[in-house]
Amino acid sequence: MVSHGKTGGSKGRSPTPTPNRDNGGGAVGGGGGGGGGTGAQTATAGNNLARSTLHANKTILKTVSVFLASGKRNSNNQSKTAATALQNKRQLRQRKMEELSGKINPKLLDNLRKKTRFTKDELDALCRIYRKLVSNCQYAAKTLASSSSSAAIAKPHAAVEGIDRIVFRELLHSTFDIVTEEILMERIFCSWDKAHEGLPLRLEGWLIGLSTFLRGTATERAAFCFRVYDLNTDGFITKDEMFTLLRNCLIKQPQDEDPDEGVKDLVEIVLKKFDIDKDGKVSLEDFMATVTAEPLLIEAFGQCLPTDSAVVSFFSTLQV
Ligand SMILES: [Ca+2]
Ligand SMILES: [Ca+2]
């Protein structure tokens, strides 16, 4: 401002300080403009940059959106699969929660009451035992998986939920006093539920088998024993099968010259007893007729039913 006054004073154009000032201002303004120019250039450059950035961004966005779109198409299927998996997981969790709390679906309970000889309270208790046994199986499978170098061995156990043969065998031995040969134990496990074919026992199969085992009629129990003794499930107990079963039942005497001879003799005696139609093998009809006439022969080929005292003590532990 001071320099303006001076300039204006020296040029006698004091009345025009304003244009001066304006000029100055203009100059300043120009400067400012120049600055603005630079600014504009910068701005232009900035704009260009911004534009190119924007362009780049657009390109990126486009790429991203294309990428996303393609991803979406993939993930659409994936998300469907994921959703189904999640739903299954939820249902499984729900079922597990119900199972853990010992709750049975009322419809299933009704169905089980019709198919078994158990009361509602007994079924509840037996279901709880089932859960416990299954969790034992799962625990055993997990332990096996972590201890085994090849986890694949344990996978089939974990994949199908149910009571596996190891836990089943332990239960039969400790709870029902069944002390028998390996082969018979395996047959009991496989005959327990006609549908499971040696797979882990599911709830329904476990309960229906248990009903026969503990409360079955003479006919049901005899049919169960027949299934156990028919080792190859062809509908007949043959001499070979009798031989295998009876040899396992007999205590071998070390002084016997040929213990198998004794077993062969025994097979002939037992066959005569059972083979009513004299065709050289024991059919279900032969077996039923023989056992009906002489109930003690029901376990002629090895123990596969619980003792009466074991049944009584089992029901007393149910506490229902
Ligand atoms: Ca057979
Ligand atoms: Ca026959």
Side-chain angles (χ1 to χ4, degrees), residues 194-211:
K194 277 177 238 170
H196 84 133
E197 298 285 343
L199 291 168
L201 277 166
R202 307 298 301 266
L203 179 65
E204 193 173 316
W206 147 254
L207 290 172
I208 292 172
L210 204 59
S211 173

Side-chain angles (χ1 to χ4, degrees), residues 61-74:
L61 277 175
K62 215 173 172 182
T63 317
V64 167
S65 63
V66 167
F67 173 75
L68 281 178
S70 68
K72 217 173 186 179
R73 250 175 276 136
N74 286 339

Side-chain angles (χ1 to χ4, degrees), residues 14 29 43 52 72 100 133 137 184 187 208 215 229 263 270 286 292 297:
S14 49
S52 65
K72 217 173 186 179
L100 282 174
L133 292 172
C137 293
L184 213 53
R187 285 301 307 149
I208 292 172
R215 294 240 168 99
Y229 300 146
V263 179
V270 175
D286 289 338
T292 307
L297 284 177

